[in-house]
């Protein structure tokens, strides 16, 4: 498993909140546990206190994406480094659950966390995964959806660095909105042209009299 895979942890946490819409799904222990997906052992460590702690880490991770989205590479890296220092992990070689055709382990890198609580464990993995993604693909691959008011975080893995939206749904919505805006502009221009033509005709008619 590539270490950049863990960057999805950061995206999942950041996108539990949609500030522009006033939505926040991170309101219970179960919501915290759901973020761990298949890691049930880690999820069971969550307590009531982790809801508040997760929200704090979420804000710091969003700040990384916001800095990257503005093109402020230095700030994005500094913010991420502060998370890495506060929530360290230990990279280890692992072969669990993965076997080749001969039954031998498929060795891969794994991030082992040593958390004092569920938040520390999740934050460590999310920050390290995001760091690997940033250094492997570039800070400009961390983005925020351009389909207002969404602003969900996403990781751009396209070959031509062209991603602008967090999902196909937002891309479609933005394209439809852009199309309608063009049509309104064309209609306004056509109406103004028609009014100008009518005015010119009236002026010409009055002059002939």
């Amino acid at each position: 498993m590539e270490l950049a895979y863990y960057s999805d942890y950061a995206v999942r946490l950041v996108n539990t909140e949609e500030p522009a819409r006033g939505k926040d799904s991170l309101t219970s222990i179960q919501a915290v546990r759901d973020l761990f997906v298949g890691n049930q052992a880690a999820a069971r460590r969550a307590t009531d206190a982790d809801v508040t702690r997760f929200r704090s880490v979420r804000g710091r991770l969003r700040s990384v994406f916001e800095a990257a989205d503005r093109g402020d590479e230095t700030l994005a890296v500094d913010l991420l480094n502060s998370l890495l220092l506060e929530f360290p992990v230990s990279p280890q070689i692992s072969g669990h659950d993965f076997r080749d055709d001969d039954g031998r382990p498929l060795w891969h890198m794994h991030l082992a966390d040593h958390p004092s609580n569920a938040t520390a464990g999740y934050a460590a993995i999310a920050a390290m995964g995001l760091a690997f993604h940033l250094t492997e693909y570039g800070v400009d691959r961390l983005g925020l959806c351009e389909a207002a008011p969404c602003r969900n975080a996403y990781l751009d893995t396209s070959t031509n660095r062209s991603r602008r939206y967090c999902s196909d749904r937002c891309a479609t919505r933005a394209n439809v909105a852009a199309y309608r805006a063009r049509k309104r502009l064309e209609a306004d221009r056509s109406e103004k042209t028609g009014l100008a033509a009518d005015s010119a005709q009236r002026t010409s008619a009055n002059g002939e009299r």
Side-chain angles (χ1 to χ4, degrees):
M1 181 182 297
E2 296 181 359
L3 292 180
Y5 157 83
Y6 291 105
S7 56
D8 288 338
Y9 276 63
V11 173
R12 283 202 300 272
L13 177 53
V14 170
N15 290 346
T16 59
E17 182 184 29
E18 296 181 68
R21 291 190 172 115
K23 294 183 178 180
D24 187 349
S25 63
L26 192 58
T27 58
S28 66
I29 297 177
Q30 189 56 51
V32 169
R33 289 173 176 163
D34 289 344
L35 289 168
F36 286 92
V37 188
N39 192 344
Q40 296 304 312
R44 284 193 292 270
R45 291 198 296 260
T47 66
D48 285 328
D50 283 300
V51 177
T52 300
R53 287 193 289 251
F54 260 71
R55 286 179 172 178
S56 176
V57 171
R58 177 181 65 187
R60 293 171 67 183
L61 286 170
R62 174 170 282 278
S63 293
V64 175
F65 279 92
E66 289 174 343
D69 189 61
R70 294 194 303 269
D72 194 339
E73 297 187 22
T74 301
L75 178 58
V77 170
D78 286 346
L79 292 170
L80 193 48
N81 273 336
S82 69
L83 285 164
L84 292 170
L85 289 171
E86 185 174 345
F87 303 106
V89 295
S90 302
Q92 295 179 350
I93 300 173
S94 175
H96 63 80
D97 299 332
F98 296 96
R99 301 280 172 172
D100 63 16
D101 293 337
D102 297 323
R104 294 176 300 185
L106 293 175
W107 301 112
H108 60 277
M109 292 301 297
H110 174 76
L111 296 182
D113 58 288
H114 309 285
S116 56
N117 53 64
T119 303
Y122 193 98
I125 291 174
M128 183 62 77
L130 199 57
F132 273 100
H133 192 95
L134 185 152
T135 54
E136 182 174 352
Y137 298 108
V139 71
D140 58 331
R141 294 302 188 108
L142 279 59
L144 292 173
C145 186
E146 293 185 14
C150 178
R151 302 301 282 169
N152 271 352
Y154 65 84
L155 300 169
D156 185 2
T157 56
S158 63
T159 56
N160 58 356
R161 299 172 183 263
S162 61
R163 186 170 178 178
R164 297 167 55 201
Y165 307 104
C166 68
S167 64
D168 290 340
R169 179 181 180 182
C170 275
T172 299
R173 184 162 55 84
N175 289 334
V176 169
Y179 172 79
R180 290 174 176 171
R182 287 195 301 271
K183 287 299 182 181
R184 285 195 298 271
L185 182 60
E186 291 172 1
D188 289 344
R189 287 175 176 172
S190 178
E191 181 179 356
K192 290 178 180 177
T193 300
L195 291 174
D198 289 343
S199 176
Q201 289 177 355
R202 287 194 297 272
T203 299
S204 176
N206 290 335
E208 291 177 355
R209 294 195 193 102

